Amino acid sequence: MISASNIPLVNRAISNKDRVAIIDRGGVHRYREVINQSFKITQCLLNNTSDLKEARIAFICPPGIDYVATQWGIWQAGGITVPLCPSHPLSEIEYVINTAGVKVIIAHPEYAQFINPLIKTRNLVLIHSNTEEDISEVSLPHLEVNRKAMILFTSGTTSKPKGVVTTHRNIMAQITSLVESWEISSNDRILHVLPLHHIHGIINALYCPLWAGASCEMMSGFNADAIWEKFVKTDLTLFMAVPTIYIKLIDFWDKAGREEKEAMSTACSKMRLMISGSAPLPVDILEKWKDICGHTLLERYGMTEVGMVLSNPLHGKRKPGYVGIPLPGVNLQLVKDTGDIVTEDMKEGEIQVKGENVFQEYWGNAQSTQDAFKGDWFRTGDIAVIKNGYYRILGRDSTDIIKSGGYKISALEVEEALRSHPKIAECAIVGIKDNEWGERICAAVVTKDPCELTLDSLRIWAQTRIAKYKIPSRLKIVPHLPKNLMAKVIKPEVKKLF
Ligand code: MCA
Ligand code: AMP
């Protein structure tokens, strides 16, 4: 058995080697099995070199042991991990690979065929995540804590997503703050239902539990029925999700029979902690969830660039509509338009963050990195107020960023994609408030000729170009878009069209 790693998270795993780490569709995996598989990946990647020296290695794996072992294996070899989302179209994956300068992809065999066209056209090296290396004595490179570790692509105020680079120090700071605040321990067992190309699914729901020696049961894809079944049949202690997931779970519960409802509520009430984040949790949903199972959902706030920074307390009062107080180790300030720091209750300002949890840079984009900071402070673009120490998010400083189903979506990116449609002359994308999705992606479109453009045909066309959750689900054909004197589209006027 391997006795030491160069990654603190793996060293924690070694100290828990006999405990159950992951339960996936392939069965139950102890920490020792995950570690062994990670070393196979490391050995295969190092292949006579001593250090990958921050080479970007993309990987595409279903939720389960392969995902974790592959990521750990890349880290141990000194590489930067670039998690790919299996449900993204190849065009988005290609953008990620090009932008990050990826030369090697590790794929679970079930995705090898899907990724193959890219392997060929871009001349990439493909490694299978279940590589059967014989582990010999692997000599691991020495890694400083500020070694780059991961690139996650996040949409923002630019049309194309930016690669957020976090270091091992950033990741550790993000994990330890949450483990401390939410008292995650080896007694926990979490049900993991989130995508694995964003912080919520990677850091909060996967690596915090694994840091603590807990067990993580990983499901593939979202299914309300299957989640309720797990709640009922498994002794879970912890659950994390976006508001849309809670809304879908409530909907399922509402439609169930009386006995089923009782069984579901009882099972759920036994959990230790249920958390919501990534988007605002409507107060009526918080209240309904409390009626169903007695839990006051713990709402927290974070961002890809900074990890989690605000959270309602585990033990103290969880205030509905508020995202809580700064997490341990987090430096945070609210700054007015004037540049002054907000000191009074209920005066609004932008949330700015600094410290070890804050990302290092946008990959290959020095200008965006520079623009994102004011001195040492990262500017989140989220506007908030404080009342009695608790923060409340009021919104964002940009109407071009939409949150739908917990995903951040750039209106500009969707517009750019739609403009390449042969029948579209102009378009404007807006997020419209929606009970299920938080915001719904809506498209106002001017067609080239008077022609038939239906939502269905647009959605089918878009499927190979942008991720499913970015595709508009409302379409309005208009003769022209509302514009100001500078010929700029007036988004608030576009919203009124819906
Ligand atoms: C899917 N559909 C939608 C949307 N997404 N319709 C409107 N708006 C949307 N956003 C439609 C599909 O087209 C499809 O329709 C049907 O819903 C089911 O699609 P599917 O993809 O299967 O959806 P789902 O599986 O039901 O997924 C819903 C979901 C998912 C589970 C809520 O969106 C999800 O996993 N969200 C979590 C995202 C997340 O982890 N965000 C964290 C990033 P049809 O059937 O007609 O085709 S933020 C982060 O990391 C920061 C740091 C933070 O604070 O956490
Ligand atoms: P992402 O860039 O995908 O990491 O999304 C981060 C953004 O999600 C933040 O900048 C916020 O706008 C939003 N967000 C995350 N958690 C919450 C929350 N609890 N309430 C409101 N907005 C949130």
Side-chain angles (χ1 to χ4, degrees), residues 193-195 198-201 204 222 242 244-245 248 277-278 300-304 307-308 403-407 409 437 439-441 459 468-469 473:
V193 301
L194 293 164
H198 285 300
I199 286 212
H200 197 168
N204 301 19
F222 171 80
V242 299
T244 302
I245 290 183
K248 285 171 180 274
S278 299
R300 56 63 182 173
Y301 157 91
M303 194 173 180
T304 308
M308 300 304 112
K403 266 270 161 169
S404 186
Y407 284 111
I409 295 150
W437 298 99
E439 286 183 287
R440 200 175 259 280
I441 315 273
R459 286 176 64 82
K468 211 164 159 185
Y469 51 84
S473 57

Side-chain angles (χ1 to χ4, degrees), residues 196-207:
L196 286 160
H197 62 298
H198 285 300
I199 286 212
H200 197 168
I202 304 171
I203 301 291
N204 301 19
L206 183 59
Y207 290 150

Side-chain angles (χ1 to χ4, degrees), residues 229-244:
E229 196 181 327
K230 288 282 179 205
F231 284 177
V232 171
K233 294 198 174 147
T234 325
D235 284 329
L236 299 165
T237 64
L238 202 51
F239 186 67
M240 301 182 194
V242 299
T244 302

Side-chain angles (χ1 to χ4, degrees), residues 238-439:
L238 202 51
F239 186 67
M240 301 182 194
V242 299
T244 302
I245 290 183
Y246 286 107
I247 289 164
K248 285 171 180 274
L249 291 175
I250 290 173
D251 186 52
F252 188 90
W253 187 92
D254 274 339
K255 290 179 182 143
R258 198 171 55 85
E259 276 180 25
E260 272 177 295
K261 274 184 175 148
E262 261 178 43
M264 291 194 277
S265 295
T266 306
C268 206
S269 67
K270 289 185 188 147
M271 274 192 234
R272 180 176 78 77
L273 178 61
M274 307 193 86
I275 299 172
S276 173
S278 299
L281 175 67
V283 172
D284 62 321
I285 299 302
L286 175 136
E287 281 165 357
K288 175 83 191 196
W289 194 257
K290 190 164 186 195
D291 288 346
I292 288 177
C293 63
H295 277 282
T296 302
L297 290 172
L298 182 151
E299 185 172 10
R300 56 63 182 173
Y301 157 91
M303 194 173 180
T304 308
E305 287 86 338
V306 297
M308 300 304 112
V309 292
L310 291 162
S311 170
N312 274 285
L314 180 65
H315 297 299
K317 183 170 169 50
R318 296 179 197 164
K319 269 176 101 172
Y322 286 74
V323 291
I325 56 180
L327 278 157
V330 167
N331 273 312
L332 188 141
Q333 63 183 18
L334 268 195
V335 182
K336 296 181 195 168
D337 280 349
T338 54
D340 298 322
I341 297 190
V342 174
T343 49
E344 320 90 305
D345 263 9
M346 300 312 280
K347 286 273 185 289
E348 63 181 65
E350 183 196 45
I351 299 178
Q352 299 186 354
V353 188
K354 76 170 177 184
E356 293 197 343
N357 53 310
V358 178
F359 78 122
Q360 193 179 59
E361 62 184 23
Y362 293 114
W363 181 261
N365 197 337
Q367 190 59 51
S368 291
T369 309
Q370 194 185 323
D371 295 346
F373 285 85
K374 186 143 182 45
D376 292 343
W377 294 93
F378 172 72
R379 307 182 51 183
T380 62
D382 286 310
I383 310 300
V385 292
I386 315 175
K387 191 175 180 197
N388 299 329
Y390 282 66
Y391 287 70
R392 180 184 177 85
I393 308 291
L394 299 180
R396 289 197 56 92
D397 60 0
S398 164
T399 49
D400 284 328
I401 293 180
I402 301 167
K403 266 270 161 169
S404 186
Y407 284 111
K408 185 152 91 175
I409 295 150
S410 161
L412 306 179
E413 184 188 357
V414 182
E415 285 164 7
E416 189 182 303
L418 259 51
R419 274 196 291 268
S420 66
H421 189 289
K423 292 181 175 170
I424 292 180
E426 276 189 288
C427 66
I429 297 294
V430 287
I432 300 291
K433 198 168 164 14
D434 184 85
N435 287 342
E436 187 178 6
W437 298 99
E439 286 183 287

